[in-house]
Structures are given as C-alpha cells and as structure tokens.
Amino acid sequence: MKYMYWLLIFIPITLVARFGLQLNDGLVFLFCCFGIVPLAAVLGDSTEQISLYTGPKIGGFLNATMGNVPELLICGFAVQAGMYSLVLASLAGSILGNILLVMGMSIFIGGLKYKFLPFNKNITHNNFTLLGFAAFSIVVPFFFKYSGGGGITEHSLSNFSLALAVIMIVLYLLGLIFSLITHRDIFDDEDEDEDGEKEAPEWSFKKSLSVMIGATVCVAVMSEILVHTVEGAAEQFGLGEAFIGIILIPLLGNVAEHASAIMMAVKGKLNISIEIAVGSSMQIAMFVTPLMVILSALLGNTMEYVYTPMELLGIIISIVIAATVFMDHKVNWLEGAELIAAYIILGGAFLVFGIG
C-alpha cells in the first residue's frame, strides 16, 4: 500500500484550501477524499506490522478496528453536527462495503490463485452469528416505528434506541471475550500454524504504534473537514446524500481493509481476510453504530436507531448472500464475483435513484 503514500500531499493541500484560500466546499471535499485514502493505507500498514507481533487473530481484529477509524471519526463529527441520516447511511454503507465488496474482492482474487479457499468455520460462524443478532436488532425498531401505530413516540423510540445500543455493545464485548480469551483455541488456524512461515516485521513495535497513533490524529482532522463540506459538495456535484454516505465515504475508509484482506487471501490466509472484512462489518453493526447512538444521547439529542427501508434491505440482503457463500466451508472465485456484483447492483441503485 506504500504506493498510495504520495497522496499524503493532499493533507496540507486540504488544510490550505479550507483555512487559507477558503475554497468552495466541493473542491475541499474532493481534496479531503484524496487525503483520507493514504491515511487509511498508513493505518493498514501500521496495524499489519503490529499483527506480526500479536498473531493473526488479534492482528485481524486490530486491522478491522483501525480500518474502521475513518468511519468512526467521520460519523462522530457528523453526530456532533446533527447529521443523523448521513451517519446511518455511512454505517450501512460500511457494512455493505465490507461484506460484499472487500470480502468479494478477496475471494475473487484469491480464488484466481487457488481452486478453493478453505477457512475456519468457527471464525465465520462467530462473526455471522453476531451479524445475525445485529440484523435482528435493526429490524425490531424499524418495524415498530412504521407499523406500531400512534403509540410509538419520538421519545419512546429514542429511549429504546439507547437501551438497544447499550445491549449491543455489551454483547459485542462478550463476543470479544469469547473469541479472544475463553474460546481462543477454536479460532486457531492449524494449517497456518503448520506452515511455519512467519513473516518478519519491517518496523519495530514502537514505530508501528507511533505511526498508527499519528495517522489516527490526521484522520480526525480530515474527517472533521469532510463532514463540514459534505452538504456543499453534494449540491455542487449533484450527488445524493444517500450515495455519498452509503458508497463514497465507506469506500474511502475501506482502502486499508481492501488491500490487507486481498493480500491475505492471495497468500491463502482467508481466515485473516474474514476477520478483516466480515469482522469489520460485525464491529460496525455491533459497536460503532451503537456507540454513535450513545454519543448522540450524551450530546442531548438521541439518534433514532432506525435505518431507511432501502438501507435496511441492503444490510439484510448482504448478510444473507455472504452467509450463503460461506455455507459449504470453502469458497471460489465465482462466489467472490457474485458478492462484487451484488455490491455494484446496490451501489448503482443508490446512485440512480438517490434514496436511502
């Protein structure tokens, strides 16, 4: 991913355009997009180096977590600005992008090298079980809001959203304890352990950690600028908020996950790809989204945990299609192409029809 580093020049360009020259929102938003891409790559490289010290399971979790930092910060600033529809659209898009596009590209490219890509069924089962609960949790408030009659008030829905967010975060933390501590042995990849081939880290642990922290700070600055220019950019470029939130912002934030997941699949290490892509979607659904609800409550105006019909449909379809692909415990390039096609169809629908 080092070839993306030259795009770091767009960080000072963005700052000058925003605070020095005070250019229009469209140009600043465009510069900001180009600046976030290499920062995502830097985060990916630093977490990949750290994973060589911590092992594949924790490494995959860390990669997925840091890969979500751009979305987390962008959504955090959007919550602060009261742009709740953009927040939910971006988070829905992150789930779609990781499950369909990132996982699809990994399976497709890895499948061109290997006839079949086997994986640890316990890893996929754990992630998709939590994703299934996440799907259940977003369906419940949606249907109660739209079919609950006059008894559903904004106040009651906000309170329910906050309680639901707390439950989901608790369950997410319990899932981490299960997979990283109490039942860590069932997620070990015996095939990878037997290979005996361990890649040597290029950076020291201290350097990797310092780069990761520095990149996170830069992402925070760029995210705040992006949020404050997104409405003006949408108007200037004629793009709907749904398309920007569901497709554009997640694509920017998923650069690191894309590259890391694909590289692992090419090496035949699909388990790590799954931890990065599917695990990232699970983390968005079970932790990041509920965290945004709690943040909004702390700011005094609780965000309703209710997606639009199209966002809900996209999330449910993506989880079902991806789960179907993994049912036989091995995947091939055609199944990867199917996931990519599903993402293109959904993305095209949001672009053409411009609705969330």
Side-chain angles (χ1 to χ4, degrees):
M1 290 186 282
K2 293 181 176 60
Y3 61 90
M4 295 183 186
Y5 283 17
W6 65 272
L7 288 174
L8 289 170
I9 188 64
F10 280 99
I11 296 175
I13 290 176
T14 301
L15 296 175
V16 171
R18 176 67 174 172
F19 301 109
L21 301 178
Q22 297 183 343
L23 300 180
N24 63 69
D25 286 350
L27 279 175
V28 175
F29 178 83
L30 196 61
F31 293 151
C32 197
C33 289
F34 284 121
I36 288 178
V37 167
L39 287 173
V42 171
L43 280 172
D45 284 341
S46 60
T47 52
E48 183 181 353
Q49 291 296 310
I50 292 175
S51 71
L52 297 176
Y53 291 96
T54 61
K57 176 63 183 176
I58 296 178
F61 164 73
L62 183 62
N63 207 314
T65 301
M66 297 311 298
N68 285 330
V69 164
E71 291 103 317
L72 178 64
L73 293 173
I74 289 171
C75 289
F77 287 117
V79 165
Q80 190 176 28
M83 303 167 66
Y84 294 161
S85 60
L86 179 66
V87 172
L88 288 174
S90 175
L91 294 171
S94 294
I95 296 173
L96 299 180
N98 283 304
I99 292 181
L100 297 179
L101 185 60
V102 177
M103 198 70 257
M105 288 290 290
S106 300
I107 294 173
F108 178 75
I109 296 178
L112 295 177
K113 182 177 180 181
Y114 305 96
K115 188 172 184 178
F116 292 103
L117 286 163
F119 53 87
N120 187 318
K121 65 180 181 180
N122 292 319
I123 292 177
T124 55
H125 181 267
N126 183 62
N127 282 323
F128 276 104
T129 297
L130 288 172
L131 271 177
F133 179 83
F136 161 76
S137 68
I138 64 177
V139 166
V140 171
F142 174 85
F143 279 101
F144 270 92
K145 177 178 181 177
Y146 289 106
S147 63
I152 306 298
T153 64
E154 289 187 7
H155 180 69
S156 62
L157 192 57
S158 295
N159 288 338
F160 181 80
S161 297
L162 181 58
L164 184 61
V166 172
I167 292 171
M168 292 180 69
I169 287 182
V170 169
L171 188 60
Y172 171 75
L173 295 175
L174 291 176
L176 288 183
I177 294 172
F178 178 83
S179 62
L180 296 178
I181 302 176
T182 64
H183 290 68
R184 182 175 181 176
D185 57 311
I186 70 173
F187 298 102
D188 290 338
D189 189 344
E190 296 179 0
D191 292 334
E192 288 181 8
D193 291 341
E194 290 173 0
D195 285 343
E197 296 180 3
K198 290 189 176 181
E199 184 180 349
E202 297 179 6
W203 301 350
S204 67
F205 184 82
K206 184 178 180 180
K207 177 183 176 181
S208 303
L209 188 62
S210 300
V211 171
M212 184 180 71
I213 294 173
T216 302
V217 172
C218 291
V219 169
V221 174
M222 299 297 281
S223 298
E224 184 175 15
I225 296 174
L226 186 142
V227 167
H228 284 92
T229 57
V230 65
E231 289 183 338
E235 184 177 343
Q236 285 180 247
F237 297 139
L239 298 174
E241 188 179 274
F243 178 79
I244 289 179
I246 293 177
I247 303 299
L248 188 57
I249 291 177
L251 279 177
L252 296 174
N254 285 341
V255 169
E257 290 160 323
H258 244 119
S260 298
I262 291 172
M263 284 191 297
M264 290 299 106
V266 170
K267 295 177 181 178
K269 300 180 179 180
L270 191 63
N271 288 328
I272 300 181
S273 297
I274 293 171
E275 281 291 337
I276 293 172
V278 181
S280 179
S281 289
M282 182 271 292
Q283 190 178 76
I284 287 286
M286 296 292 297
F287 179 73
V288 177
T289 307
L291 188 63
M292 293 301 104
V293 175
I294 293 173
L295 175 62
S296 66
L298 293 175
L299 293 174
N301 185 20
T302 305
M303 178 176 69
E304 292 182 0
Y305 192 20
V306 181
Y307 289 96
T308 65
M310 286 304 298
E311 290 168 355
L312 178 65
L313 178 65
I315 293 172
I316 300 299
I317 288 177
S318 64
I319 293 175
V320 171
I321 292 176
T324 302
V325 165
F326 287 107
M327 281 180 64
D328 60 353
H329 303 152
K330 59 182 179 180
V331 293
N332 55 64
W333 66 264
L334 179 58
E335 291 171 322
E338 291 168 354
L339 293 178
I340 297 171
Y343 181 80
I344 293 173
I345 292 170
L346 284 172
F350 284 113
L351 175 61
V352 173
F353 301 115
I355 57 175

